Structure formats: C-alpha cells, structure tokens
Amino acid sequence: MTVDKIPTGAEKLVQCLEREGVEHIFGLSGGAVIPIFDALVDSRIKLILVRHEQGATHMADGYARATGRPGVVLVTSGPGATNTVTGLLTALMDSSPLIVITGQTNTVNLGKDAFQEADVTGITYPVVKHSYLVKDARDIPRVMREAFYIANTGRPGPVLIDIPKDISSGPCDAPFVEEISLPGYQVPTHAPQERVEAAARLLRDAERPLLYVGQGAVISNAGKAVIELAERLRAPIVNTLLGKGAADETHPLHLGMMGMHGTAYANKAVVHCDLIFAIGARWDDRVTGKVDEFCMDAKKIHLDIDTAEFNKVLRPDISLQGDARLVLEDLLAVLEPGETTAWIERCAAWRRQYPLKYPKKGGLRAQHVLDRLHHVTEGKAVITADVGQHQMWAAQFLKTAANRHWITSGGAGTMGFGWPAAIGAKFARPDAEVWAVVGDGGFQMTMAELATAAVHGLSARCLIINNNYLGMVRQWQELFYDNRLSGVDLEGNPDFVKLANAYGIEAFRIRRAADIDRQLKAARSVKGPALVVAEVLKEDNVFPMIPAGAPVSHMIIDPPRHRLEKPSGST
Amino acid sequence: MAAPEPATPAWRRDHVRTISLYVHNRPGVLVRVALVFARRGYNIESLVVSPAAEGHFSRMTITCSGDPATLEQIIKQLHKLVDVVHALDHTGDDAYETEIALVKVECGLHERSEVLQIAEHFGAKVTDYGENSLMLRVYGSSEKLDAIITLLRPCGLRELIRSGKILMVRGLQET
Ligand SMILES: Cc1ncc(C[n+]2csc(CCOP(=O)(O)OP(=O)(O)O)c2C)c(N)n1
Ligand SMILES: [Mg+2]
C-alpha cells in the first residue's frame, strides 16, 4: 500500500487552480513565491513569464475580458506585489475578474520589515473587490474557492491572495472545498417583478426612448436581449466606451459610442431623448458631462447589479437591481411596443447629417489607418486599445459587432494597458485575430512585453499610432491652455521598427495613406507577433468633443476657431 | 471669557447618524469598514466593535457625521464589502441607545460637593474617591453625557473617556 504524501501549500494551491479550470498564469518569480513556481513545474497550467508585473496584470485582465473567465497573476512579495497595484485598479474600475496571488515573507516575520516585505493587503485594500492574507495552510482550499467565486460573480473584480512562504512550503492536508459560506455576499439575479413592469410602462409611454449600454451588458452577455428590446421598442442604442460590442454596433438602430468623444448622432440622441435606460452603465462623468444638466427632462431607468450605483451620480425614476441579461429577459416578457417612428427618423437624419469624418489628404491620419484596420480585418478582430487619442479614434472607427471584441481601460484610463491586454487576449483566444491599438506614449510603458509575445511566437498584432506626442494631453493644452505645451513632446522616441526587430519581431511602417492596406495585410500574414508603426500627423485632434464638465449639448463637432474655457467640474 | 459651549453641539444634533453593522469576523474587516468612510471624507465620531451572539460574527455601532447623500453611498458601499452581512442606518429608529463615560475631575476634599451634586443628579457613580480627584461613571444617552460633561468642565475635568454609543432596535426587528 502506498501512502499519499501530504502536499505542500503551494501544491495544494496549484491543484485548486487546476480545479478552477485555470489554463494560464501570468507571472514573475522571486524568493517568496519560489515554492509556487516550483509546484507549477508539475502542473498542466501554462506559466507565461512576463517582463514586468504590471504587464502580468494587464495580460490577465485582457484574458479575462476576452473570455469572461478570471485571469490569474502570480508575483513575488514586496516590489513584485506593489507592481500589480495599477493593474488591480484598472481591473476594479472596469469590473474585471482577476486573481492576483502574491508571495509574502514568512508569517513569523510579518511586520518586521523583513527582506521584500510589504503590507500588501494593506496597500491594496482600496483597489480590490476582496483580499486574503493566508496565515494557515489549511485555509488554502477555502480561500481559493471563495476567491474565484467572488472575483467572477455579481459585479466582478480583482481578488488578491497574499501567501507567506512558510505557508506555501509547509504541508497542507486540508480537503478541497465545494461549499461556499459567505453570509455577507449575495449575488443578485432578477429584479422585483413590479419594478420590471413599471419600467415596461415607462418604456411603452416614451416617445423618444434611448438604450444606454455599458460594461454590465458585456459581462452578463446581454447583447441579444438589448437588440431584441431595441427592435421591439424601435429604440436607438448608444454605448459607453466599455459597452462597445455588447450589442452589435453595426445594427441599424445602433448609434455607436456616446460621451466625451462619442459620435455626434449618439450625443444628439442623448440630448433629445425623453427616456434613457441605462443597462449596466453608471453615468460616468465622461458620459454625462455636467450631471445637473444631463437628460434633465428625460425619464431615467437604471439597471445595474450593484445597488451602490443607484443614486450615486443621479436619481433614476426606476432602479432595477439584477443581472442585465436576466432582467432584460423578464422585461421583454411584459413589454408592449410604443410608437417611435418620428424619433427613429430623427436619429437617422442626425446620422446622415453628422457622420464621423476626417480629411484623407494632407498627411497620414490616425483615423484613416484605423478606418482601414476595421476594413482589412473585416470588423472581426478582437481589438485592445491603450489610452489617449488613438483610443478614442479606435472607438469611433472600429465598430464592434460582437461581445468581448473590444477591450480597453475605461474607468482607470491606464496607459500601458493595450499591448499586454492583447497578449492576454491572444492566449485566451488563439483562434481570434487580435490587434492592440496603442499610442507611442502608452506603448513605452509596457513595451518590455514584446519579449513575452516573441518567446511564445504569439500571433498578436500591435499597431502603434505614432504622433510623437502624448497626444491627448497636447490636445487639451492646445484647446484649453493657449497651446502652451508642457511635458507632452515625446522627443527621443525609439525607431519602433528597429525596436521590434531587436526582439526578433517583424515590423512594418506606414508613412503615407498608400501604405496602409499593404502594411496592415503584411502584418496580418505574419506567423508570430507583428508590429506596425503608423507615423501620423503630429497635431491632429479628436472630435466630436464634449469638454470635461460641460453639458452634452455643448458638444464641439468641428475644430473650434477660438480658445475654449478651461474645463471645470470635472478633470 | 469664551461663551459656554452648548451641551450638544449643533453638528451632533443635525448631522450625526448611527449605523449598525453585522460583520463576518474575518481579518481586515475593520480596516475595510474604516476605509469606506475615510475615502469619502466622512467623520467617524465613535466606533464600537464587539462579538455578536453567534460565533464568527461581530457587531459594530458607528456614529458619524457628514452630508446625507454621502451617507447613503457609504451604507451601500459598506454593504458591498464581502464580510459585511448588513449595514443599517438607525438614525430616528425606535431603538434603545446608550453610552458610558468615565470622567476624572480634579478637586480637593473641600471642593467636591458641587461635583457630587451633579453626579447624583445624573445618576453617576463615583468609582474612585481620591484625595485630589474623583472618578465618575455615568451612562445614558449621548445627549445626557454631553450635558454632564458640560457641567463638569468648569469643576476641574481632567480626563474623559466615552465608550461610544451602542444601540439596539426595540422589538423583534433586526439591529
Ligand atoms: C499611466 C498614465 N499616465 C498618464 C496618463 C494621462 N494621459 C492620458 S492620455 C495621455 C497621452 C497618451 O499618449 P500616447 O500614448 O502617445 O497616445 P496619444 O494620445 O498620442 O494617441 C496621457 C499622458 C494616463 N492616462 N495614464
Ligand atoms: Mg502619442
């Protein structure tokens, strides 16, 4: 008879990850996590070694957003752990499920400033959905089960697990845990029927209803229900930056993105609607502009899984707490159509009157490149975007037809997110075409991950929109600060083609409009990673634009001729 | 001479709210609760934590001040914490509230008749009878404690420790 050897805490932890269905871990090692890396040697989980822990968090985040399954990160104590803070914030703000496992000094040394000790649970309280400091190896199975459950139910978010080295190296004979007991944690599903019926009445009575769709609809996969609702009501749809793709943006009733850099016709619909129905969206200040004047005369229905979103920014007439898809399905069961023909025609007229446009002459423009990327990829690629002007242009010109095909950092606006997120998305969905659209500024924050893609021969694409500026900030300085440019010139940028080549990555340059399709297609056909640099006009601006803190009706559609007021009321 | 402070300051009368929390006893829960307030610039006036009747759970009674809209957000954010079972605003509810104060007054043997008179009036018990000091224990509503403290201040009040308010809803309704 053989006696089973008692596993170590680290082995138990890895077994728990396997039981949760984890296939990839993004991580970087160090003294305090060596036992867990050691346990991974015998596991079927694939370890992706990153070059910086922030990259690991964004990869895991991209992985999570591309699939709806939690992304897993494994890093060492102290600086390894603190390097994950930006990634945690990014995931928390956009409700993305992450499991971040951090090594910690031995339990006896906690609080003694031991080598590479940091109070990681303390540092991260404000940027996690929940966290654990494991001080007894027998807690590992329970903690792991709870962490995955918490991360990816209700309103998803990051969960951090801090594991001292003696716990991961010591024995753990606790059994696996199936049952979860979290008396303080409920997962909402359906909204009360009478509220759903009241919402249906408001929708029926509206003459100019508008569906405003956000990340909650992405998470709950509510797209089909949103489209059915729009068709039954004959109501137009707009989405937030994060809601892109929850409902097919190419649908005739879809007006695209709303908000600060949304389409003019989407924002016209916002200004003129008499009912706005927020579906998994939270009236962010980039969406509402000046809140006091936002849809003042319109009825408001707010559907969200998180009650804390009700009455936070504004008071809806009806709040519906629950899962977006489930509540919409309940609503569809009782919905009677209203009469909206005139409204639909008005929206269609705005769409004709204020199309998104850009000059095709006079130098290479980011919009042109992105417009072509959309066509070359037939609108089917998974797009990750970094943060800045290129992000807004990508959101405008790359219409997202399917859910989880658009991934960007919205709430936190984290530069450096785009490229590692694309790597994570490609690991998650190897059969999908994945493109990162990044700026020259943000790319340089996480470009070390070129090595990660190169090592794995990962066919992710990176398109750098190179304007040699921190373009979005330059735009604000030009428009609101008398063009007094301060700290926005990215002189000293490397030659990105040579840089990619140094990693063994094929790279292509677009200098003029005539190069666009050829170079994009060339990049598409590379086996392994490919990089494209578009050398675009340095001083282009994103329009339409609602200046921060201004009412939506103050949208600027064309470049203004005079100086604008400095933004107030919002950053 | 400065004008005497009113027994119960206006901010306490108008803006103080009493919240009770029922929490799962897990490490870090107190910090998480405190951060919900701190991030929104809300003042915690008092905080009492103690084990509940059921093992693994604790009760917190928190009095705090700030604007009502922020409080609504705070209560919801508290509720959202994984370890918080419930968070309820009991301000204005039919609840029994009480608080204890220990007060040390510096006074010689011949100066204490007034202090003792005040103590008797408020039902305070003398818990230490020293040569140069008296210690009183008084309990009751926070307003009552405010009142006795105001009276004792000119009599040589040296130290004051208040337990913070605790509260329990009357009848079978949950606190
Ligand atoms: C980590 C981080 N630092 C600073 C900012 C502020 N910020 C927002 S957009 C932007 C400029 C981005 O420049 P680039 O990546 O070149 O993109 P572009 O706007 O030029 O397209 C900056 C600095 C940010 N969002 N994130
Ligand atoms: Mg740039």
Side-chain angles (χ1 to χ4, degrees), chain B residues 131-173:
Chain B
E131 237 176 280
N132 300 312
S133 68
L134 284 175
M135 192 200 301
L136 307 180
R137 182 202 67 202
V138 57
Y139 65 87
S141 71
S142 300
E143 291 72 21
K144 172 179 160 187
L145 267 51
D146 290 345
I148 183 171
I149 289 159
T150 308
L151 292 174
L152 288 175
R153 232 175 248 290
C155 305
L157 186 142
R158 282 291 293 267
E159 281 179 12
L160 167 67
I161 301 179
R162 295 174 68 148
S163 64
K165 186 198 281 186
I166 56 172
L167 157 160
M168 186 175 274
V169 178
R170 295 179 203 273
L172 283 178
Q173 196 198 321

Side-chain angles (χ1 to χ4, degrees), chain A residues 419-457:
Chain A
W419 172 232
I423 295 175
K426 185 67 185 177
F427 274 118
R429 292 186 22 207
D431 299 334
E433 179 173 2
V434 178
W435 280 83
V437 175
V438 302
D440 48 319
F443 176 67
Q444 292 184 72
M445 293 192 176
T446 47
M447 68 184 179
E449 306 309 337
L450 284 172
T452 311
V455 169
H456 291 275

Side-chain angles (χ1 to χ4, degrees), chain B residues 1-6 150:
Chain B
M1 217 182 98
E5 282 178 53
T150 308

Side-chain angles (χ1 to χ4, degrees), chain A residues 387-390 413 415 439-442 445 467 469-473 490:
Chain A
V387 174
Q389 291 183 312
H390 62 280
M415 282 170 72
D440 48 319
M445 293 192 176
N467 52 10
Y469 268 127
L470 295 170
M472 186 56 95
V473 180
L490 290 178

Side-chain angles (χ1 to χ4, degrees), chain A residues 125 128-132 142 146 150 155 181-186 306-308 310-312 315, chain B residues 24 26-29 31-32 35 39 57 69 72-73 76-77 79-86:
Chain A
Y125 279 129
V128 296
K129 179 172 176 184
H130 197 54
S131 55
Y132 296 89
R142 174 182 62 81
E146 287 181 9
I150 290 168
R155 182 174 181 168
S181 165
L182 289 168
Y185 184 75
Q186 288 96 29
D306 179 1
T307 41
F310 303 140
N311 305 343
K312 184 180 88 175
R315 288 193 175 266
Chain B
H24 201 178
R26 288 274 179 86
V29 60
V31 184
R32 289 182 219 267
L35 285 172
R39 181 176 165 195
F57 293 91
E72 179 184 345
Q73 186 54 212
K76 287 172 169 176
Q77 293 294 346
H79 203 100
K80 233 166 97 169
L81 294 175
V82 170
D83 291 332
V84 171
V85 180
H86 69 236

